[in-house]
Amino acid sequence: MNVLIVHAHYEQESFSSALMHCAVDVFESGGHEVRVSDLYKMNWNPVASASDFGEREHSEYCVYALEQRKACQAGTIARDIAGEIEKVKWCDLLIFNFPMFWCSAPAILKGWIDRVFVSGLFYGGTRFYDRGGMTGKRAMVTLTLGGRDHMFGKDAIHGELDVMLRHLVRGTLGYCGFEVLKPFAAYHVPYISDEERGVILDDYRIALRDIAARQSVDFPKLSDFDEAMRPLRPSV
């Protein structure tokens, strides 16, 4: 299996970085090939702009998604983007590894998605969910949080973590056709002991070693909708 880890933490000694290194060790020891895009270490440019295209189809006005398609076909998309696209095409499993910032991913990771998940290759027209460009690949979100586990849930103070991550799990990875595995969350990590962090790392190792059996998230199937994307079977 080819594994790509997109890591988004500015501190190399962070627990988020420890999770990333843990994943590398587990997969490599299992005979898999691993590549890491360490976004802060790479000084990744997160800003999508017209400068991402060596040539433009419409010089007077930039429609970013349409220019992505044209630039990919012509081979004129920015070199840093092209390199990351090739990594995603290479991988069988994509892992986003990051600390939660304001109920979301860090801006540098969001910018990686904006620039790398290009229209035409990852999605386009009715090529989404089970018909998306990344069908046949799996993806997983690994995140660290400051909050305690009991603070996330249906009746908890912050609500359900799955709802908080919906934009990323469903609206990004699922939309592009990935089979998305259940996220792995490490709670309260800035405030717990090294022993407790060690338990989380052990749990993560177990989860990764048994990743073939990890539960995936359910998404819509386009066959359940008509051409206007209205449900064929109205909800009861």
Side-chain angles (χ1 to χ4, degrees):
M1 182 170 63
N2 296 331
V3 182
L4 172 62
I5 303 173
V6 182
H7 175 58
H9 201 295
Y10 53 87
E11 177 54 67
Q12 297 298 311
E13 299 301 319
S14 67
F15 189 71
S16 183
S17 297
L19 288 167
M20 179 269 288
H21 289 298
C22 175
V24 172
D25 290 343
V26 168
F27 287 122
E28 288 187 341
S29 65
H32 308 294
E33 187 172 347
V34 184
R35 297 179 185 174
V36 178
S37 287
D38 188 335
L39 300 185
Y40 284 95
K41 202 170 183 180
M42 294 161 58
N43 196 29
W44 175 261
N45 171 22
V47 181
S49 70
S51 63
D52 288 338
F53 315 113
E55 297 178 5
R56 295 252 303 277
E57 185 170 14
H58 300 288
S59 58
E60 70 284 358
Y61 187 86
C62 179
V63 179
Y64 194 79
L66 298 181
E67 296 294 346
Q68 282 182 320
R69 294 189 186 196
K70 180 69 174 180
C72 282
Q73 293 170 357
T76 57
I77 201 161
R79 185 176 300 177
D80 59 342
I81 298 174
E84 295 303 294
I85 290 173
E86 289 305 311
K87 292 179 187 177
V88 180
K89 290 167 67 176
W90 164 86
C91 79
D92 303 302
L93 172 66
L94 170 65
I95 296 178
F96 285 161
N97 188 84
F98 61 90
M100 178 170 277
F101 285 2
W102 290 106
C103 303
S104 187
I108 198 168
L109 176 55
K110 176 58 167 60
W112 184 91
I113 295 167
D114 290 346
R115 299 180 70 219
V116 174
F117 279 22
V118 293
S119 176
L121 176 61
F122 285 76
Y123 68 97
T126 57
R127 293 176 63 249
F128 52 89
Y129 292 127
D130 60 322
R131 299 180 190 172
M134 296 296 110
T135 54
K137 298 180 182 292
R138 291 183 293 169
M140 180 175 168
V141 169
T142 298
L143 71 154
T144 58
L145 307 91
R148 299 178 184 272
D149 57 354
H150 68 264
M151 299 169 74
F152 298 87
K154 184 176 180 181
D155 299 316
I157 186 67
H158 295 318
E160 297 174 77
L161 184 61
D162 289 346
V163 174
M164 200 172 287
L165 295 173
R166 182 185 175 103
H167 67 99
L168 184 59
V169 170
R170 178 171 175 165
T172 302
L173 294 169
Y175 183 82
C176 290
F178 288 96
E179 176 191 353
V180 187
L181 307 180
K182 182 180 177 181
F184 183 93
Y187 295 96
H188 209 47
V189 293
Y191 313 107
I192 59 179
S193 66
D194 287 342
E195 289 76 16
E196 290 171 303
R197 294 188 190 100
V199 171
I200 295 173
L201 287 172
D202 287 340
D203 289 343
Y204 193 43
R205 290 187 186 96
I206 293 170
L208 295 180
R209 287 170 183 153
D210 197 29
I211 201 162
R214 191 168 184 82
Q215 182 182 357
S216 58
V217 182
D218 289 329
F219 300 121
K221 291 181 173 57
L222 266 64
S223 58
D224 292 332
F225 296 80
D226 65 19
E227 291 182 359
M229 296 302 159
R230 295 187 181 92
L232 294 175
R233 304 174 190 85
S235 59
V236 178

